[in-house]
Amino acid sequence: DLALAHRDMGDLYERRKLFPQALDLYREALGEFQLPRDWKDAGLAQVQMANILVLQNDYDGARRSYEQALRYAEQAGDEAAIAKGLDD
């Protein structure tokens, strides 16, 4: 599916330290995921974006991305993901 392909490409760019391109692809993927069905994949993209934003010293942006990933887990009722999100 296109959303997963964009997220996977974002991973590739992130590993190559091409952070602006990775963020663009993660954002594209987020616009394509079908919520609530794809909440885990969307949450992972949010966490990956947040990790890059931390490296770029954009702590407010990172916090927003982490919080969105946590909201996805809460809406899905996934206790393990909620606990992990609260721990991170």
Side-chain angles (χ1 to χ4, degrees), residues 40 51 59:
K40 282 187 181 184
N51 292 340
Y59 301 111

Side-chain angles (χ1 to χ4, degrees), residues 45-65:
Q46 286 285 358
V47 168
Q48 290 166 300
M49 284 178 48
N51 292 340
I52 291 172
L53 293 170
V54 166
L55 293 173
Q56 294 179 328
N57 298 319
D58 181 356
Y59 301 111
D60 290 334
R63 180 186 43 79
R64 285 190 298 274
S65 287

